[in-house]
Amino acid sequence: MLTKQLPFTKDDLERIAAKFPTPFHIYDEKHIRANARELIRAFAWNEGFKEYFAVKATPNPFILKILKSEGCGTDCSSLPELLLSEKAGIVGAEIMFTSNDTPANEFVKARELNAIINLDDISHIPFLEKNGGIPKIISVRYNPGKLREGSLIMGSPENAKYGFTREQVLRGLAELRQKGSRRFGLHTFIVSNDLNPDYFVHTADMLFDLALEIQEKIGIRVEFVNMSGGVGIPYKPDQKKVDLAYVGEEICKRYEAKIRNSGLHPVSIFTECGRAITGPAGYLVSRVLHKKEIYKTHIGVDACMANLMRPGMYGAYHHITVAGKEDRQPDHVYDVTGSLCESIDRFAVDRPLPEIEIGDLVVIHDTGAHGHAMGFNYNGKLRSRELLLRQDGEVVEIRRAETVDDYFATLDFKGLKGFAA
Ligand SMILES: *Cc1c(COP(=O)(O)O)cnc(C)c1O
């Protein structure tokens, strides 16, 4: 029987839930640190290597602080993400600002923090010049178009809204140099949640080739290439995790062949992994409220799609463990559902699980990235709390649950004439 392990027992979870009622996301600090170390170790051969953790995956400053202590920076894409990063003490070149359709005030804040700005479009060069100014160090996002295939979540690069065309990369970098930039980098992000390690090797290789072409054609020395994120995780128990050591070694071979003696060396490699760092280290814990027998058996839990959107939105698989029933046979078939008035609000469809009773704790795996972060308030649903399992076993609350008062906080009753609240 293929399963996934939990870092806590049913008794642990009941103790935690007695203090912090369900539903909650809980993150395992030890696991987050191990994932960051594994990535950094894979690129130890590259002196300037840096992981810029994608804040959007787990936008909580306590998590960012943990990652900072492992040597990571942040990849931010909005003003609040820049502020989260600043709160965690991550500023300057420790921030990569990769936005698109960017509002002026976000460029201004990114410049104020001295973040590395990664431009999404050639027309953003004059826009940035007016709003914050052209920095000495700059990066541009490359969209390879037809040259690469895409993925389910991102679509094909040719249809995607992101990045510069190849011709624009050359023209844009020359324009940036003319406007005062002196240090240059390249970025690309094409696939999401990909488990094929060779994909990332090809991406690095593609950026090396482009850096060489830039040097040859316009005499600009690219000093870093940012392969961004998209490293998948094995959501299903029979999937294999991406072998990062292999990815690092293969990229090293290409670096040695192409870059070492090209006049470009040293080129730093950057990544912006989100999912691969925090995804497998998070769990959504929810209690069974109802068991409904109609044409199918529906297990109604106290979490819903507002706490984890991926299954409803992408039909994504998330493994489920019933706490305390880890060793029982999955000899029942259930839909595990939330309370949203939307039929897609299901964490699992026709899932073989051990027999479930009302009151059981259901643990949904791999929710550490793009989980709580994608939460919303549709249907008056409130976002859950976030907990952190520290390395010493202590559990701390790193974000409280939303309350009805939070939900009402943006309604200005006083401003509504004739409305007596
Ligand atoms: C979302 C995103 C990432 C992180 O993606 P993961 O799949 O979580 O690794 C990195 N870079 C950019 C620009 C992104 O938009």
Side-chain angles (χ1 to χ4, degrees), residues 3-190:
T3 68
K4 278 178 168 257
Q5 305 299 317
L6 292 178
F8 22 61
T9 64
K10 176 176 197 263
D11 286 349
D12 294 336
L13 282 178
E14 286 293 2
R15 255 194 307 278
I16 296 165
K19 190 164 176 200
F20 304 111
T22 57
F24 54 78
H25 285 267
I26 182 164
Y27 310 114
D28 179 358
E29 177 175 358
K30 209 184 282 177
H31 198 169
I32 292 174
R33 288 185 184 277
N35 288 342
R37 284 176 199 174
E38 186 183 343
L39 174 64
I40 291 167
R41 203 180 317 119
F43 288 93
W45 58 268
N46 184 263
E47 212 171 299
F49 176 80
K50 191 158 186 79
E51 153 69 359
Y52 290 86
F53 176 72
V55 173
K56 78 166 189 273
T58 322
N60 189 305
F62 297 92
I63 302 291
L64 301 184
K65 270 205 140 150
I66 290 171
L67 289 167
K68 177 180 159 71
S69 77
E70 294 294 338
C72 302
T74 49
D75 158 40
C76 301
S77 60
S78 66
L79 183 64
E81 287 186 0
L82 285 168
L83 297 171
L84 279 175
S85 184
E86 190 179 20
K87 275 262 184 279
I90 302 170
V91 295
E94 305 272 292
I95 302 177
M96 193 91 193
F97 184 61
T98 295
S99 58
N100 68 91
D101 191 19
T102 313
N105 64 333
E106 302 200 347
F107 275 141
V108 170
K109 181 65 187 180
R111 290 289 287 119
E112 188 190 308
L113 290 176
N114 265 316
I116 302 177
I117 292 179
N118 180 36
L119 289 176
D120 182 65
D121 185 44
I122 196 160
S123 74
H124 292 185
I125 297 172
F127 188 78
L128 175 63
E129 192 173 25
K130 277 202 219 90
N131 301 288
I134 300 292
K136 282 273 172 297
I137 177 164
I138 192 90
S139 170
V140 300
R141 179 170 183 167
Y142 170 51
N143 178 334
K146 278 201 182 79
L147 298 177
R148 294 295 291 272
E149 280 173 20
S151 69
L152 172 71
I153 296 177
M154 299 280 288
S156 74
E158 203 188 358
N159 288 321
K161 66 172 175 172
Y162 305 110
F164 290 53
T165 65
R166 203 172 184 95
E167 179 273 324
Q168 286 173 339
V169 167
L170 292 159
R171 197 147 48 86
L173 288 175
E175 186 180 341
L176 284 161
R177 175 176 53 189
Q178 188 258 324
K179 289 183 188 293
S181 291
R182 289 295 170 265
R183 299 173 59 192
F184 303 91
L186 282 177
H187 173 283
T188 200
F189 185 28
I190 314 165

Side-chain angles (χ1 to χ4, degrees), residues 54 56-57 75 98 141 187 189 192-193 228-231 272-275 370:
K56 78 166 189 273
D75 158 40
T98 295
R141 179 170 183 167
H187 173 283
F189 185 28
S192 181
N193 193 25
S228 78
V231 174
E272 296 169 344
C273 288
R275 190 186 316 270
H370 313 293

Side-chain angles (χ1 to χ4, degrees), residues 266-293:
V267 175
S268 300
I269 293 177
F270 295 165
T271 54
E272 296 169 344
C273 288
R275 190 186 316 270
I277 305 292
T278 51
Y283 307 83
L284 173 57
V285 180
S286 186
R287 200 178 287 281
V288 177
L289 299 179
H290 299 283
K291 193 168 170 180
K292 173 168 178 168
E293 312 270 2

